[in-house]
Each structure stands twice: as C-alpha cells, then as structure tokens.
Amino acid sequence: MTKYSAQEIFSIVSKNKLTDEQEAAISSASTTAPSLVIAGAGSGKTELMSVRTLYLVANELAKPSEILGLTFTRKAASELASRVQSGLVKLRESSYWPKDLGDDFDPPKITTYNSFGNEIFRSLSLQVGFEADAVLLTEAGAISLAREVAANAKISEFSELLNWDKTLDYLTEKVLSAAGALTDNQQSADEAIDYLQDFAQQIAALPQSDKGGDGIYAYHQTLLDTMHSSTLVFELAGQYQRQKKLRGLVDFSDQVALALRALEKQNLELPHKFVLLDEYQDTSGIQTMLLSRLFAGKPVMAVGDPNQAIYGWRGASSANLSGFAGDFGAAEQFSLSTSWRSGQAIVNAANLVSEPLQDDSFVSPVSLTAGLDRDGSVSAIICQDVVTESAKVALWLSERMSDETSAAVLFRSKQAMRLFADALEDKGLEVEITGLSGLLEQPEVLDLVAGLRVVADPEAGAELMRILSGPKFRIAPRDIAQLHKFARKLTRMRKEVTAEIPLTLVEALDEIRKPSSRQFAEISEAGLERMIHASELFHLMRTQLSLGVSEFSWAVARELELDIELYAHTRTKSPLANLEGFISRISDYEVSALRPSVSGLLSWLDYAVNSERFEMPKTGAKAGVVQLMSVHAAKGLEWDFVAVAGLVQGSFPVDSRDSKGWLAIGKLPHEIRQDSDWIPQLSWRQATTQKRLKAATEDFAGENRSKHDIEERRLAYVAITRAGRDLLLSASYYKSGILNSRPLAPYLEELISAGLAQLLEPIPEPAVANPLANQAQSEIWPFDPLGNGRASQLSAAEAVINATPTRVSESLQLAAIIEQAELIRNPKQVELPLRLSASKIVQLLNEPDAFWAQTARPVPVSFSEAAARGTQFHERLEEAFDLEADLDISDWQEQDQKLGQAYLDSRFNNLVPLYIEQALEFELGGTVVVCKLDAVYQTADGFEVVDWKSGSSPKSKAEVTDKAVQLALYRIGLSRWLGVGVERVKASFFFAGDAKEISPEVPSEAELIEKLRAFRKAPLRF
C-alpha cells in the first residue's frame, strides 16, 4: 500500500484532476512486473510518464536516478526530461518529498532509444571486437559508403551484375535497405542468400501445370530474374557490412545488434528499477530484442497506440505492441482514451475511421472521448479538379486564420504541395513548406540544385538548359540547340573525344570560354555573350568548391541571383523561406557526412527525396503560418485548423507499391524476419506447378494489399487527430494528366455517410472529361523576368522615356549624388520591423543610431576571419552534440585547437545539453523576438542557457552590460517555451578565446518590454 495517491501527487503540478484511466495507469500499474498502456491520440502520454515518475519517487519506490525513460527524438526526450525535472523540483518543495533523499538528487535518465543503444554498445564494445570510440556512421555517411561499394563492385566477384539493368542510385538504395533489414532482423547476408537461392532452385524445377510442360512461363521467368537480382543486392549488402567492420564504422542499428551479441557473452547490471518506454509501437524488432534482454520481467511500462503505428518504413514493427507480453512477461493492460487536443466532432470522426483497425492487432486500440468542452467542426468538400480544390481549401483557411492561430495542410504525397501553396499565397496567407521532398518541388530550390549539378556533374545537360533559359541568362531555345551542335562538332574534331563518349553540353559550355573554340559555335551574338558569361560564372564556382557545402550553396544561389528574383516577384513576407529551409537541410547533411562534398550532397539528395525519414519538420506549429507537410511528418504535432487534402484513391490512400512483399528486389524473405508471425507469408513450398505458384503469389499480393490499406487508414487517423478546432477534408476527381475520374477515399465516404463530416457544397457528379485537359498552360520561353508585371513596368519605363529631360539626367553620377543629398536632407521614414533577431534588439537598445542606419539602408556584412572562425567553432560543437560524441580537435588548425581545448577544459565538456541550436520565437513589447540558443543544460533547480563565443571576454563592465541583453532575451524565450518561471533559467556566456565563463546580471522582462514599447511608440525614424 502506497502512502500517497496519484491524485495527490498530480495536485503538485496541476490544478486539474486525473481521469480514472490516468489514475489507474499511474497507481495501479505493477511495481514488480511489466505493464502496457494503450494511449490514444492527444491523450497525454508525456504527462502520464512524468506523473508516474513523481508517484514512484514520492512513495519511495525508486530514487529519481533509478528511473529510465526512453523515447524517439531528442525533442521528445527533452520535453519529457523538462517536465519530469520541473515536477521533481516542485515535489521537493512539498511535503511529499522523501526525507531520505535530501535536497540534492540525480535526475532520472531520459534519453532516446538510439542514445541508449549507443551507451550500451560502447560499454560492451570490446566483447564484440570494437573499440569504445568506434566512429558512428550517420545516414549521409552510410549512403556514401553504400554507393562506393555498389560502384566498385566487379563482375568477377558479383556475376549478377551482368544482368543488372537499373541505375546505380537504385542499387545503392536497395543495398542500404537490405543491410538495414539484415541487422534489424538478426540475419546474415549468407542466410538471406541461401534462402533466395533455395527458393529459386526449387521453383525453377516446377512444371508449367498439372499436365506437365518443361517450358517456363513469362511471369515465372520474371520471378526467377527478380530472385537473381535480390541475390546480388544481398551479396553487396554483405560487402557493405564487411566494409563497415573493416573501417571501424557502426550505425545505430549496428550498435543495438552488437550490444545484443555482447550480452550473450556478458551480463550487464543497470541501476534502473523502473523503465518507461514511449511510442513503443514505433520501436524496431532489434530494439525490442535489446530492451527485452535487459528488462524482461521487470517493471517496464510501455506506452503506445496501435492506431499510430505508421513508421514501418524505418524499421518499426507493428507487432511490437501485440508481442509485448511475450517479450517482457505477462503484463496488465491500461488505457488512456480521453483526448485533450480535439473537440467531440473530430474525436467522433477519428473513431469511425479507426474502427476497421480493431481487427489488425491483438492489442485493441482505444475509442477516444473528448476531454475538452471545445467547439469544433469536421467539414468536407469535393471538387471536380485539384485546382478548384486548392482554391477552396485556401478560402476555408483564410476565413479562419489570424496572427494567433496555427494551421496545416496535410498530404499523403508531395505532388500537389506547390499548387496549394500558390493558392494560399493568393489569399495573402503566410506559407511554409516542410519536408525535403516538398522543398525539392519549389522552383527556387530546383534552380539551386540544377546549379549545383552543373558545377559537379558534366552529364547535367538538362539542368544546364534550365539555368541557361532561366531569368539569369535568358538564352533562347535556338542558341541552346546550337550549343548542342557545337558539342557534336567538337566531338568530331578532337582525337581525345569519341562518339561513344561525346562532349557533353556542360563541357561544351566550358569550351565557350576559350576564344580558340568559340569560333566554331554558330550562336547569335547576344546568346554567345550570355553563354560566355555563364561559362565564366560556372568556372569561377568550380574554383570555390573548397568552401563548406552550405556556404557554397549560398554562393551559387547568389551568383544565380535567386535571392533577387525571389524578392522581386514574391507574394510572401519571407521570400527566402524555401531556400533557407533547403539549405538548412544541406547543413544537416554537412554535419553528418564523413567527407561532405557537393557530389556527395547530390547523391544524398537522390536517396533522401524518396525516403520518408527526411520529411520530419524542423519546428512545430507556428502562429500565423499555414504549414504544408506530409502526414508522416505531422505525427506528434497539432494545429488549430487542419485541412487533409487529396482524399481520393491514388492520392490518399496511395496505391500499394509493396504488394509483392519479399518477391520484390532486395526484400528480406518474410519467413526469416523477426515479425514473421504477424505478416503475410507466401505458401510456396506447397506449390507443385508454375500455375499453382502464380495463384499463391496472387493470394500473397492480396494479403499485402490489405495490409497496405490498413496502414493507409492509420495515416488517415493520424491526420484527422492533428486538428484542435476545425478540420476540413477535401478531395477532387481529376488532376492534370489523367483521363478517368478518381474514386473518393473510403474514409471520406464513410464520414459523409455517417453524417460526421458536414458538406460545404453538394457532392458533384464526376465530369465526363477532365476539366483540366483543355487548360494547357502556355509559358514564354525563355523565362520573362518581369513576369505578370511586364505591362505595368513597361508603361512606367515609357513614361520615363517620354518625360521632359533635365540636365541632371545627362549625368548618372550627378543624379546619384543629388539623390543621396536629398535622402540626407529628407530621409525616408523607416518603421521598426515587427520581427527582430536577438542581436538586432541588442543593437537597437545599445546602438540605436547604427540600428536605424542599417535598417534604412541595409549593407552586406563584409567578410570577417574572426566571424568565420566563430561560425566554424559553433558548427563543430553542434556536430559533436548531434553525434553524441566527444569533441575531436586533432585535425583542427592550431588557432582553432585553442578554442576547442578551452571547451574541453570547461565544465560544459562533462555535461549533456538538452537542446542545441534551438530556434525560438516569442512576443515581447509588441516585437516578435527571433533567437537561436546555442545550448541548454538542465540543472538541479532549473535550466541554463549557454552562448558560445569564439572571441575573448569583454574588458569593461559596460560591454558586459550591453551583451547581457542577449542573455536576458534567451532566458525569457526559454522560460516561455518550457512553461517555467524565468527565475529558474540561468544564462551564461562562454568565451573560448580566453576560456572564461561569465554569468552577468541581466535586465528584467518588464524593463525590456518598456524599452521596446517605447521604440514602437516613438516617431518614425529617417
């Protein structure tokens, strides 16, 4: 019998009351055996785990340090750790705190599944032949290595290469996927190959039918060919694994697999009495095996939702919840069915959509109830075509959005994102496209990628045509055709070039730079001049490849004047948002790659664009912004208003691409997978003829399609439960390029039939013909840089030409001088921007004249070696934090090593940050403050923000006081973001230049608000 109830403990952190379900899961769950909590969407999983932790500590069942919490992302781990730490501090200040603990305590260990696996591996690495400091192979590094293995494979060693007729990128993708499947399922490449060869051997001997027949049907031969291709993939996957071992490289899955192998040789005692497992439905088979090996039979509480098991593509197994009792021991089951996110209308819709999911799991999902008395609605609209659909969705959101509300449009696939973004922007809404594949559909991003390919790949002819015909060069089609003829002419003329390997379009452009070569080009005078410019520009870019990949990408964007075009033709408040978002992803690649390069980046992009794992958003919901993203990326997020678009067959749900199961190239046979009991199996051993085997494969494909349909329904459930207030479900019969109308998604039809989705307009009958078929777009080529504004701008130019000339107009230099003088005498009014970075606010408060001058006439910041060194120092620290590795300064330059050594000698080297490079936005005194926190650490009584400085510490007290404004803003931002009092947030500078740490006294929030409001009320400047 415990001393304190769950409700008593909860009263310390909240004025609300626990539901009966919450109280049962917290207080009735066993303290000696496993338990399983099935928690519906929005039901408060994080709150459950944090209060369970407080309950265990208050009742002296465990010390804080004896509790382990695992989740998937660093963000989720940080949020859980923050809530637990905050609750423990409040518990310590109450009468429920155990007397034996004292005021000082070690916090619970709350981390990610990957980090935990990393820790176990490194403690046991010597048992399996690895050093503890083995290099962690990141995703970018894995892609690079797999591509290297595939590219270097020799026919003498891999005979099936003779029959391989697909691309190197496709082979690389299959090798990586196969290697991951082998690791996750504890199988060797040889075991997979033996199975495939045995299968191929046996089916090759089958007669055609019961009547006999020695021939081989075409479909049967195709199956045999696929098995040979799969054998090649697994042979290369084995080679890839051997190369990792040879080079001392391990990825996260390897760490878990090797730790599991080490535990077979040596037991490991861990100090954790209680274990909390978050999002358990998303764990992979091998993660489950490791956790089971360590904690089976112990009080493990796993929290998950079978309805949200949508990450099968990253190795997650939907069987984990069903098999929990078998893995950990007999477990009592609890439920959380109250949604604290959505109103009853949305909850009802989610329940109806999830009804068919009840039969797909041995663990029954919960039926949600609304915990909030919140008005809300579920609406639906069905249109003839996707263009009309995008306009209707944009109208619906424009009628609801304000600066205080958030919204999202969710898609199953990326194809229509740009169309919807344009429609939203036409309504004056601020739009953000999230996810790599969505960004790669944006014109400015496509232009940048094209430029990078032209720099790095001489075969990038199509990309070069895009650049030459674009707004920068505006070269006509005829001249581009002549460039192609020029390439063929040089191919014939030069001995070192053959018809088998001709001069490419990119190489021909490079030749244009040379006067001796260009005489053979029959290109117009204007076209030749522009091509020479383009040739010299790309030549110059290639000389800058020593720059960092992110820095080089920005340089290419500027040289192609993408930023100028965006500012000239944008309809949004943030013209560079997509470009900045994409280069942020490039930074992710640069940090994680073993040897980052432009060519490596392009290979990474080719792989990443088809992988859902790269769709994850960098930030959550944003007030005043409509975010466009995939449903996979939206899991765990919520918005006030959500539109789920494209609810038609082929769009959402998408058609199954995996109906062949393991009969597709590079797939691990289902029979040798860890979750073989839970997935469809092919009854091939019973087939006595080719025809019977074909019938068995068709049955197998049908089972796989049914499984796919269930997974698509789970995605629909996740999409619906992202909405807090209003939900819109939209569909359209036609998109461009199709002849027949598309049927509505089954979930949409079910909701309309049940009256749970209110139609905004009557459902139209599908048009006989595609309404978009006769709306073929016409474009001017080359691109017109004036766009739709050409008429008005030409009119203005004509007015200037026809104006009465003055003497000043005869001298441009004199005109510029007079204009400057006029500005000085009669300066233009400048408003204080609504959004300001923390550094700009520091300048506004300490150097207002300089701030206003820069705001009125922005001047690019000149290059500073010290600033570049500081940026590099920040990036290297971030890389070490991201990889959860020690800072390695062995290959740094001497001057940089001093900075690194200063960090290594500091107290921060022994701490693990909760957040790194955390972007925050918050309102203060009428100003939206934008800041990025270098590092946030958890302390015994709160949190500490640290700002890294590569320079030396200030020499005067006044300088410290000026800089303290920045820390004050960071404290306020973090306290609001975490929902804790600002007094619990400490802020410090660490100056690596002289290894000094300074924690100055900072101005109060009220003081800063007063100053900022004063500037807002002041007369306009200049």
Side-chain angles (χ1 to χ4, degrees):
M1 185 72 180
T2 54
K3 292 167 62 177
Y4 308 117
S5 69
Q7 185 60 59
E8 286 178 284
I9 302 305
F10 185 57
S11 67
I12 299 170
V13 294
S14 175
K15 296 178 181 178
N16 299 316
K17 285 192 174 296
L18 293 169
T19 64
D20 292 343
E21 289 179 328
Q22 288 173 320
E23 188 162 10
I26 292 166
S27 60
S28 299
S30 175
T31 57
T32 59
S35 54
L36 180 63
V37 180
I38 305 303
S43 61
K45 293 186 289 291
T46 303
E47 186 166 70
L48 170 77
M49 291 189 290
S50 62
V51 178
R52 168 74 171 175
T53 300
L54 303 184
Y55 175 84
L56 294 172
V57 172
N59 285 293
E60 301 182 50
L61 295 168
K63 297 176 182 177
S65 59
E66 293 173 332
I67 299 171
L68 171 68
L70 298 179
T71 187
F72 270 94
T73 65
R74 291 182 60 144
K75 179 175 180 289
S78 298
E79 289 173 355
L80 177 58
S82 171
R83 190 173 296 194
V84 168
Q85 182 70 10
S86 173
L88 286 170
V89 170
K90 291 178 180 177
L91 185 68
R92 185 182 61 185
E93 296 166 357
S94 74
S95 59
Y96 303 116
W97 186 253
K99 295 178 181 178
D100 295 341
L101 273 183
D103 288 341
D104 294 329
F105 62 89
D106 293 326
K109 184 176 186 63
I110 297 174
T111 186
T112 64
Y113 287 102
N114 279 341
S115 296
F116 180 70
N118 177 24
E119 182 181 313
I120 300 299
F121 161 72
R122 295 193 185 281
S123 65
L124 299 172
S125 57
L126 293 177
Q127 296 288 337
V128 285
F130 280 84
E131 296 293 331
D133 60 352
V135 177
L136 180 63
L137 186 65
T138 62
E139 195 135 30
I143 294 167
S144 177
L145 179 58
R147 186 180 177 85
E148 179 187 325
V149 166
N152 293 339
K154 298 177 181 178
I155 292 176
S156 58
E157 299 176 19
F158 304 96
S159 58
E160 284 300 327
L161 277 171
L162 272 172
N163 302 314
W164 185 263
D165 58 357
K166 295 179 174 58
T167 66
L168 175 61
D169 288 333
Y170 182 81
L171 182 56
T172 300
E173 180 186 343
K174 293 300 177 184
V175 168
L176 266 180
S177 176
L182 290 172
T183 303
D184 285 342
N185 290 278
Q186 289 287 275
Q187 298 290 339
S188 69
D190 288 341
E191 287 170 319
I193 292 167
D194 287 346
Y195 187 98
L196 293 170
Q197 289 180 339
D198 180 45
F199 172 72
Q201 205 169 23
Q202 291 197 42
I203 69 169
L206 292 176
Q208 287 184 323
S209 66
D210 291 335
K211 297 179 180 179
D214 296 332
I216 296 180
Y217 287 121
Y219 59 78
H220 199 72
Q221 185 60 55
T222 300
L223 181 57
L224 285 168
D225 292 342
T226 300
M227 292 304 102
H228 296 321
S229 295
S230 288
T231 299
L232 169 64
V233 169
F234 281 103
E235 287 174 345
L236 291 172
Q239 176 70 355
Y240 167 75
Q241 291 178 325
R242 287 189 291 275
Q243 284 297 315
K244 283 197 295 183
K245 179 76 181 289
L246 187 64
R247 303 182 191 194
L249 302 172
V250 291
D251 60 26
F252 283 122
S253 291
D254 291 330
Q255 289 180 332
V256 176
L258 291 167
L260 196 58
R261 192 189 308 168
L263 286 170
E264 294 173 358
K265 303 177 181 180
Q266 174 183 330
N267 290 325
L268 183 66
E269 289 298 325
L270 295 174
H272 313 300
K273 286 185 177 180
F274 291 88
V275 181
L276 303 170
L277 304 178
D278 189 21
E279 301 287 5
Y280 188 69
Q281 77 279 352
D282 294 333
T283 53
S284 67
I286 195 163
Q287 286 173 330
T288 299
M289 291 165 68
L290 177 64
L291 293 168
S292 172
R293 182 64 182 252
L294 291 169
F295 304 119
K298 296 183 179 180
V300 175
M301 175 180 278
V303 185
D305 182 2
N307 285 348
Q308 298 187 73
I310 63 171
Y311 290 140
W313 46 265
R314 73 178 184 193
S317 174
S318 57
N320 286 344
L321 284 171
S322 300
F324 179 78
D327 292 325
F328 290 90
E332 186 176 1
Q333 185 172 316
F334 300 88
S335 297
L336 295 184
S337 61
T338 304
S339 172
W340 302 104
R341 175 187 300 152
S342 309
Q344 193 62 49
I346 294 169
V347 162
N348 290 340
N351 287 336
L352 181 69
V353 167
S354 66
E355 275 182 12
L357 300 177
Q358 304 281 339
D359 300 329
D360 187 59
S361 174
F362 284 87
V363 175
S364 297
V366 298
S367 180
L368 293 173
T369 58
L372 299 174
D373 185 15
R374 170 183 283 178
D375 291 334
S377 66
V378 178
S379 305
I381 187 161
I382 299 164
C383 308
Q384 288 292 352
D385 58 77
V386 69
V387 174
T388 306
E389 180 188 356
S390 64
K392 297 284 188 181
V393 169
L395 176 63
W396 184 83
L397 284 169
S398 68
E399 293 170 346
R400 288 161 173 76
M401 281 297 290
S402 71
D403 291 340
E404 305 299 323
T405 56
S406 61
V409 184
L410 304 182
F411 302 84
R412 178 62 181 91
S413 55
K414 66 185 179 182
Q415 284 81 2
M417 275 192 191
R418 182 67 258 171
L419 180 65
F420 277 77
D422 289 340
L424 291 162
E425 288 171 356
D426 285 341
K427 289 294 182 182
L429 296 171
E430 188 72 9
V431 175
E432 176 184 276
I433 294 176
T434 299
L436 184 60
S437 64
L439 289 170
L440 282 168
E441 292 289 309
Q442 308 317 304
E444 61 269 35
V445 175
L446 287 170
D447 283 343
L448 174 55
V449 173
L452 293 171
R453 289 196 187 276
V454 172
V455 169
D457 182 6
E459 300 287 339
E463 289 81 3
L464 178 60
M465 290 174 62
R466 179 184 179 93
I467 297 298
L468 294 181
S469 62
K472 171 72 174 177
F473 299 108
R474 301 185 62 236
I475 296 174
R478 180 190 175 279
D479 283 335
I480 294 176
Q482 288 298 325
L483 179 65
H484 178 61
K485 289 183 180 179
F486 173 64
R488 288 192 297 176
K489 187 180 292 185
L490 290 183
T491 299
R492 292 194 299 270
M493 293 171 59
R494 296 190 173 176
K495 295 179 181 178
E496 69 273 17
V497 184
T498 66
E500 289 76 22
I501 311 176
L503 209 68
T504 67
L505 208 61
V506 174
E507 291 167 332
L509 181 71
D510 194 53
E511 288 291 326
I512 288 286
R513 287 188 305 114
K514 305 171 185 176
S516 59
S517 297
R518 75 176 70 131
Q519 61 180 313
F520 301 108
E522 299 175 8
I523 298 171
S524 70
E525 184 178 346
L528 183 60
E529 181 182 348
R530 295 175 188 183
M531 282 190 188
I532 293 170
H533 180 198
S535 180
E536 290 174 343
L537 186 147
F538 281 112
H539 177 73
L540 176 64
M541 287 183 192
R542 292 186 185 104
T543 67
Q544 304 298 312
L545 282 168
S546 59
L547 294 172
V549 182
S550 301
E551 187 179 357
F552 180 77
S553 299
W554 270 122
V556 172
R558 286 192 293 268
E559 290 293 346
L560 295 178
E561 298 177 353
L562 300 180
D563 50 347
I564 293 173
E565 286 300 316
L566 288 168
Y567 275 112
H569 301 291
T570 188
R571 292 171 292 173
T572 66
K573 298 176 185 176
S574 306
L576 301 184
N578 290 331
L579 213 51
E580 289 171 345
F582 178 64
I583 293 182
S584 170
R585 295 304 177 106
I586 293 178
S587 298
D588 293 343
Y589 157 79
E590 191 172 14
V591 167
S592 62
L594 294 175
R595 291 181 295 276
S597 65
V598 173
S599 58
L601 167 69
L602 295 171
S603 296
W604 177 77
L605 287 174
D606 290 337
Y607 174 83
V609 70
N610 294 315
S611 176
E612 290 284 359
R613 72 185 73 239
F614 295 96
E615 299 306 294
M616 300 305 138
K618 304 288 279 187
T619 59
K622 294 181 178 179
V625 178
V626 180
Q627 294 171 292
L628 280 66
M629 66 179 72
S630 71
V631 181
H632 281 105
K635 186 172 178 290
L637 303 178
E638 60 183 273
W639 294 267
D640 296 316
F641 311 116
V642 170
V644 183
L647 285 165
V648 288
Q649 193 68 45
S651 176
F652 193 169
V654 297
D655 295 327
S656 173
R657 293 178 295 178
D658 294 324
S659 63
K660 293 181 179 179
W662 66 272
L663 299 181
I665 293 176
K667 295 289 187 179
L668 189 68
H670 286 191
E671 238 182 305
I672 58 175
R673 278 176 45 165
Q674 292 292 328
D675 57 354
S676 58
D677 292 340
W678 311 95
I679 57 178
Q681 296 294 337
L682 172 66
S683 303
W684 61 272
R685 290 183 178 85
Q686 291 75 33
T688 55
T689 66
Q690 294 176 30
K691 283 189 174 181
R692 291 183 188 276
L693 180 63
K694 184 175 187 294
T697 59
E698 288 172 350
D699 291 342
F700 180 56
E703 290 181 48
N704 284 318
R705 278 191 292 271
S706 297
K707 184 174 178 58
H708 168 80
D709 292 342
I710 287 293
E711 290 170 351
E712 291 294 296
R713 187 171 284 273
R714 286 196 179 104
L715 281 171
Y717 173 85
V718 169
I720 288 169
T721 53
R722 298 311 96 194
R725 288 165 58 179
D726 293 334
L727 172 68
L728 175 65
L729 307 171
S730 70
S732 52
Y733 295 122
Y734 290 98
K735 64 177 180 178
S736 296
I738 64 172
L739 296 176
N740 300 317
S741 63
R742 301 174 294 180
L744 300 180
Y747 347 111
L748 180 57
E749 289 185 313
E750 291 162 9
L751 290 170
I752 293 172
S753 297
L756 297 181
Q758 304 304 312
L759 288 167
L760 298 181
E761 297 175 1
I763 300 177
E765 286 295 322
V768 176
N770 188 340
L772 301 177
N774 298 321
Q775 297 180 15
Q777 292 184 344
S778 60
E779 297 285 350
I780 298 173
W781 197 57
F783 176 78
D784 184 355
L786 298 182
N788 296 330
R790 171 168 286 277
S792 60
Q793 293 190 47
L794 285 179
S795 176
E798 188 177 350
V800 171
I801 292 170
N802 295 331
T804 304
T806 63
R807 292 179 183 177
V808 173
S809 66
E810 297 172 5
S811 170
L812 294 177
Q813 184 177 10
L814 178 59
I817 293 171
I818 291 175
E819 181 188 9
Q820 185 66 28
E822 286 294 326
L823 281 174
I824 293 171
R825 284 198 302 270
N826 302 299
K828 295 179 181 178
Q829 291 183 332
V830 180
E831 293 185 12
L832 182 64
L834 176 63
R835 295 162 58 89
L836 289 174
S837 66
S839 58
K840 279 293 183 184
I841 292 177
V842 172
Q843 186 185 37
L844 172 65
L845 299 185
N846 297 324
E847 302 175 275
D849 290 340
F851 171 86
W852 288 113
Q854 177 71 11
T855 303
R857 189 172 284 268
V859 178
V861 179
S862 29
F863 175 77
S864 161
E865 189 174 337
R869 184 178 296 113
T871 300
Q872 190 176 46
F873 177 61
H874 277 74
E875 288 174 349
R876 284 168 165 171
L877 282 179
E878 183 182 1
E879 178 181 0
F881 293 147
D882 272 334
L883 298 179
E884 297 174 353
D886 294 333
L887 184 68
D888 183 5
I889 64 172
S890 58
D891 61 345
W892 293 20
Q893 295 182 8
E894 183 178 351
Q895 194 170 3
D896 296 334
Q897 281 187 340
K898 294 178 181 177
L899 302 180
Q901 192 59 50
Y903 168 80
L904 291 173
D905 294 339
S906 73
R907 67 183 176 92
F908 301 110
N909 186 41
N910 299 316
L911 303 176
V912 178
L914 276 178
Y915 307 98
I916 54 171
E917 296 297 321
Q918 179 62 54
L920 297 178
E921 292 186 15
F922 60 97
E923 186 275 333
L924 193 71
T927 298
V928 177
V929 182
V930 182
C931 54
K932 184 174 280 190
L933 314 186
D934 288 347
V936 178
Y937 296 91
Q938 195 164 6
T939 63
D941 53 0
F943 305 88
E944 181 176 11
V945 181
V946 181
D947 192 63
W948 312 118
K949 301 290 187 186
S950 57
S952 299
S953 55
K955 304 305 178 189
S956 68
K957 187 175 181 180
E959 191 178 352
V960 172
T961 302
D962 289 346
K963 288 182 177 293
V965 173
Q966 183 179 0
L967 294 183
L969 294 169
Y970 289 174
R971 289 180 73 225
I972 296 166
L974 184 65
S975 70
R976 292 191 184 181
W977 190 57
L978 295 177
V980 300
V982 72
E983 71 280 354
R984 296 185 52 223
V985 180
K986 178 186 176 184
S988 308
F989 290 118
F990 179 73
F991 294 92
D994 53 7
K996 286 189 178 179
E997 180 186 339
I998 297 179
S999 302
E1001 185 177 343
V1002 298
S1004 68
E1005 181 173 347
E1007 186 180 346
L1008 291 175
I1009 288 174
E1010 185 180 351
K1011 288 183 178 181
L1012 287 172
R1013 282 179 176 165
F1015 275 108
R1016 290 255 165 237
K1017 294 176 182 177
L1020 298 180
R1021 298 292 296 262
F1022 283 72

